[in-house]
């Protein structure tokens, strides 16, 4: 870690040093928003679910235009706009007693989600490059999980559905936490540029259609979508539903499982970064796919012995093994996108990455709900394992279409891409 920190430019240190604090506010509210809407504000559960979906749907809608604006005006301007939307949205939600007000608030939060992923990734890529960039994405992911995990634990002890003001407080803290990256963008990072001014002699910047015609982009985007579909798309829906309905474990076990997930990521991310350094990113993705397949099989085994100690161990083990796989995903996929991109198209490349992420996060819960509602727990596990096999195949196809440098290995040590 000391070697990594010394290698970072000053701007990279500023970005990284505040990540956990920034995400602490999000961790306070993320697990409790639907509880707030349903149990505190009195909206029925179906309406609360629809309102929650507005965040992801809005994020997906604005990601594309956001990527174009990042390339045209720079990530800094777009991120500041998103942060203002986040502050206003969280503040409105803190006092929302009407569904329409809550809907507007959640749309504003979704706007920030839609531009923050491509914006911050473009900012990171403009500050660090090469192997250091891959390490940065991994460390950044660990710190995000640390902030969200600690926030979730603190929020769980603090909020009380019988005291609405406790929920008002956490949403206001979430709004205030957005002031930290805003201060960085207006202060130490105000000179960082993520776009290049074009001249008449320059060729036109790549558009989305041109980018998506690149085979490498198509393969990595499909891989990202499937990874999100069987991964993060199940964390808030498929996994808890399976654990409760099929494995029949207590809700406290599910809560503790998320704590295990966070702990494994924070404790192992640095070790994993050291182990994967210099290895082909596509091979790391294949190992990740194997690890995830094992995790889903473990969860499936927990469902065979419901309401037992074995089921509890299986649910906790699933989250630990799955988290180990996550430590391989986050350093590799964003690094591939940014190594494929040029400075004039970096916003669009990261927007495509974000759209694939959000698409998987939206469709994953739908598929899980359909399967588990019909009592098809075995088929649910089978679909997840099949998805892991798909990731391994896609990673192999991607390896043949990217250069060794994009794949994370020195050119002299790599093989020429097809």
């Amino acid at each position: 870690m000391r070697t990594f920190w010394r290698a970072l430019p000053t701007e990279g240190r500023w970005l990284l040093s505040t990540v956990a604090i920034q995400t602490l506010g999000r961790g306070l509210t993320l697990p409790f928003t639907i509880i707030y809407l349903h149990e505190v504000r009195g909206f029925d559960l179906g309406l609360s679910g629809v309102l929650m979906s507005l965040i992801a749907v809005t994020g997906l809608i604005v990601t594309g235009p956001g990527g174009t604006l990042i390339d045209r005006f720079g990530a800094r301007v777009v991120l500041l706009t998103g942060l203002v939307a986040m502050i206003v949205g969280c503040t409105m939600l803190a006092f929302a007693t009407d569904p329409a007000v809550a809907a507007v608030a959640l749309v504003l939060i979704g706007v920030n989600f839609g531009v923050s992923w491509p914006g911050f990734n473009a900012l990171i890529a403009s500050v660090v490059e090469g192997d250091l960039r891959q390490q940065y994405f991994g460390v950044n992911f660990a710190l995000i999980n640390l902030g969200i995990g600690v926030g979730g634990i603190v929020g769980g002890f603090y909020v009380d559905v019988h005291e609405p003001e406790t929920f008002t407080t956490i949403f206001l803290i979430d709004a205030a936490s957005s002031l930290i990256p805003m201060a960085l963008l207006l202060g130490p990072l105000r000179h960082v540029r993520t776009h290049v001014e074009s001249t008449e002699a320059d060729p036109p910047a790549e558009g989305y259609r041109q980018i998506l015609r690149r085979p490498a982009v198509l393969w990595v985007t499909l891989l990202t979508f499937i990874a999100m579909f069987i991964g993060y798309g199940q964390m808030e829906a498929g996994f808890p539903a399976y654990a409760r309905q099929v494995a029949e474990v207590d809700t406290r076990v599910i809560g503790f499982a998320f704590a295990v997930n966070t702990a494994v990521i924070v404790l192992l991310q640095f070790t994993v970064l050291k182990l994967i350094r210099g290895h082909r990113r596509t091979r790391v993705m294949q190992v990740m796919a194997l690890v995830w397949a094992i995790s889903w099989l473990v969860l499936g085994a927990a469902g065979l012995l419901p309401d037992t100690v074995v089921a509890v161990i299986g649910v906790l083990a699933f989250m630990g093994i799955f988290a180990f796989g996550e430590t391989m995903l986050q350093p590799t996929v964003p690094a591939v996108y940014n190594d494929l991109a040029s400075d004039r198209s970096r916003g669009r490349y990261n927007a495509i990455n974000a759209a694939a992420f959000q698409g998987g996060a939206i469709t994953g819960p739908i598929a899980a709900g359909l399967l588990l509602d019909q009592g098809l727990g075995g088929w649910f596990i089978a679909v997840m394992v099949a998805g892991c096999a798909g990731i391994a195949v896609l990673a192999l196809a991607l390896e043949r279409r990217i250069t060794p440098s994009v794949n994370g290995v020195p050119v002299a040590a790599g093989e020429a891409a097809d």
Side-chain angles (χ1 to χ4, degrees):
M1 182 62 182
R2 286 193 297 270
T3 302
F4 168 73
W5 185 257
R6 284 196 298 267
L8 284 178
T10 303
E11 294 84 358
R13 295 178 185 180
W14 274 113
L15 269 173
L16 203 60
S17 62
T18 58
V19 168
I21 301 173
Q22 294 174 36
T23 54
L24 182 67
R26 188 60 191 150
L28 283 170
T29 59
L30 183 63
F32 309 110
T33 302
I34 195 164
I35 295 173
Y36 167 71
L37 295 173
H38 177 53
E39 297 189 37
V40 177
R41 295 310 183 192
F43 308 154
D44 66 58
L45 193 56
L47 176 59
S48 299
V50 171
L51 289 172
M52 285 290 294
S53 71
L54 290 175
I55 297 176
V57 172
T58 303
L60 184 60
I61 291 171
V62 305
T63 290
T68 302
L69 292 172
I70 289 168
D71 288 334
R72 184 168 299 176
F73 302 106
R76 181 173 165 273
V77 174
V78 177
L79 285 171
L80 285 170
T81 303
L83 289 167
V84 170
M86 183 69 175
I87 292 170
V88 175
C90 287
T91 303
M92 289 179 63
L93 194 59
F95 301 99
T97 56
D98 183 83
V101 176
V104 173
L106 292 165
V107 165
L108 288 172
I109 293 172
V111 168
N112 180 61
F113 279 15
V115 300
S116 63
W117 179 289
F120 275 112
N121 277 2
L123 202 65
I124 290 167
S126 68
V127 172
V128 294
E129 57 185 27
D131 182 62
L132 193 64
R133 181 184 291 167
Q134 175 173 293
Q135 295 179 60
Y136 192 105
F137 280 124
V139 175
N140 186 67
F141 174 66
L143 292 175
I144 287 173
N145 274 272
L146 177 62
I148 291 177
V150 172
I153 293 170
V154 173
F157 281 106
Y158 177 71
V159 297
D160 185 342
V161 294
H162 302 295
E163 298 180 16
E165 62 273 11
T166 60
F167 286 87
T168 299
T169 299
I170 63 172
F171 282 109
L172 291 178
I173 292 174
D174 195 4
S177 67
S178 294
L179 295 173
I180 298 170
M182 184 175 287
L184 288 178
L185 294 168
L186 292 173
L189 303 180
R190 65 185 182 278
H191 299 303
V192 176
R193 296 176 64 83
T194 59
H195 65 300
V196 178
E197 296 292 345
S198 60
T199 65
E200 293 183 2
D202 292 329
E206 291 178 285
Y208 283 112
R209 186 177 300 178
Q210 185 178 357
I211 294 171
L212 289 170
R213 284 198 187 110
R214 297 184 65 181
V217 175
L218 283 175
W219 287 111
V220 72
T221 299
L222 183 56
L223 186 153
T224 303
F225 173 81
I226 295 177
M228 296 310 105
F229 180 88
I230 67 169
Y232 299 109
Q234 305 305 329
M235 289 302 97
E236 295 182 27
F239 162 67
Y242 186 92
R244 284 290 295 154
Q245 296 178 19
V246 183
E248 298 180 13
V249 300
D250 189 85
T251 53
R252 288 174 295 181
V253 174
I254 297 174
F256 191 64
F258 278 95
V260 170
N261 180 274
T262 299
V264 169
I265 291 171
V266 173
L267 293 174
L268 292 186
Q269 185 67 81
F270 296 104
T271 301
V272 170
L273 285 171
K274 182 179 179 180
L275 292 174
I276 68 175
R277 186 176 183 180
H279 293 281
R280 288 177 174 83
R281 291 164 180 162
T282 49
R283 304 290 173 87
V284 176
M285 295 174 196
Q286 289 176 316
V287 175
M288 178 213 75
L290 175 61
V291 170
W292 275 7
I294 293 171
S295 72
W296 284 112
L297 290 172
V298 168
L299 184 64
L304 297 176
L305 296 168
D307 195 23
T308 64
V309 174
V310 174
V312 171
I313 294 172
V315 167
L316 297 177
F318 162 78
M319 273 300 229
I321 299 169
F322 186 88
F324 178 48
E326 288 181 80
T327 62
M328 302 178 206
L329 176 70
Q330 291 301 331
T332 53
V333 171
V336 168
Y337 273 101
N338 281 281
D339 284 352
L340 285 169
S342 68
D343 288 338
R344 297 186 62 203
S345 60
R346 199 171 300 285
R348 292 177 177 88
Y349 275 82
N350 281 293
I352 292 171
N353 181 20
F357 185 103
Q358 291 159 350
I362 292 170
T363 55
I366 295 173
L370 291 173
L371 289 169
L372 295 175
D373 188 53
Q374 298 298 318
L376 301 175
W379 280 104
F380 169 73
I381 297 296
V383 169
M384 298 301 111
V385 174
C388 294
I391 291 173
V393 172
L394 289 169
L396 181 61
L398 176 63
E399 183 172 316
R400 297 171 178 172
R401 290 165 174 84
I402 56 177
T403 63
S405 60
V406 172
N407 209 4
V409 294
V411 175
E415 298 174 358
D418 292 341

